């Protein structure tokens, strides 16, 4: 059996081409896995950001709502105090009126 260099070249070229194809395919598969993992991570990050934004918006809304309730309570309390003061002034004016009516006759005789 004679050594055929062209057959050896062909075999070597075939092995090199097949191994090159295999490593390229393997790298492409790894890259696609990494890309899919990266896309999943991006989706998770976006979902986390959206959830955090929603929580922050709800918290801010609840703060505003509580502030509005406190303001309304303060206004109600203020009006209640004003009504109490007006009622007290009304009672004082009635006492003054009664005093003046009672003493009106005594002032004319002096």
């Amino acid at each position: 059996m004679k050594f055929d260099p062209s057959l050896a070249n062909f075999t070597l070229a075939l092995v090199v081409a097949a191994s090159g194809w295999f490593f390229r395919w393997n790298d492409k598969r790894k890259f696609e896995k990494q890309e899919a993992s990266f896309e999943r991570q991006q989706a998770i990050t976006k979902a986390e950001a959206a959830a955090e934004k929603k929580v922050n918006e709800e918290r801010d809304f609840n703060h505003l709502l509580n502030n509005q309730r406190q303001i309304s309570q303060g206004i109600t309390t203020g009006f209640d105090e004003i009504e109490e003061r007006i009622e007290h002034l009304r009672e004082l004016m009635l006492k003054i009126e009664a005093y003046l009516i009672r003493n009106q006759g005594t002032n004319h005789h002096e």
Side-chain angles (χ1 to χ4, degrees):
M1 186 191 261
K2 247 180 151 187
F3 178 72
D4 188 5
S6 63
L7 183 61
N9 278 345
F10 176 74
T11 306
L12 182 61
L14 184 63
V15 168
V16 169
S19 66
W21 175 83
F22 173 77
F23 284 112
R24 185 179 183 307
W25 171 79
N26 196 28
D27 286 345
K28 182 179 178 188
R29 191 176 55 84
K30 284 180 184 176
F31 178 75
E32 287 172 350
K33 273 185 168 180
Q34 288 174 344
E35 192 174 45
S37 175
F38 179 70
E39 288 173 356
R40 266 194 311 275
Q41 187 60 40
Q42 279 185 325
I44 289 169
T45 302
K46 283 182 183 179
E48 287 173 343
E52 185 176 351
K53 182 180 178 186
K54 182 178 179 183
V55 166
N56 289 338
E57 288 174 348
E58 287 178 7
R59 185 191 66 229
D60 291 345
F61 177 78
N62 287 332
H63 280 301
L64 292 173
L65 186 62
N66 288 335
N67 288 344
Q68 183 63 35
R69 286 180 182 152
Q70 288 175 350
I71 290 169
S72 295
Q73 256 182 331
I75 291 171
T76 302
T77 302
F79 278 129
D80 289 344
E81 289 176 4
I82 290 172
E83 286 179 4
E84 288 174 8
R85 288 182 181 179
I86 290 173
E87 182 60 27
H88 179 71
L89 289 174
R90 190 182 73 73
E91 289 172 5
L92 283 175
M93 289 176 67
L94 284 174
K95 287 178 184 178
I96 292 170
E97 183 180 13
Y99 174 79
L100 290 175
I101 290 173
R102 212 176 28 239
N103 291 325
Q104 184 178 19
T106 58
N107 285 340
H108 288 297
H109 294 292
E110 292 180 14

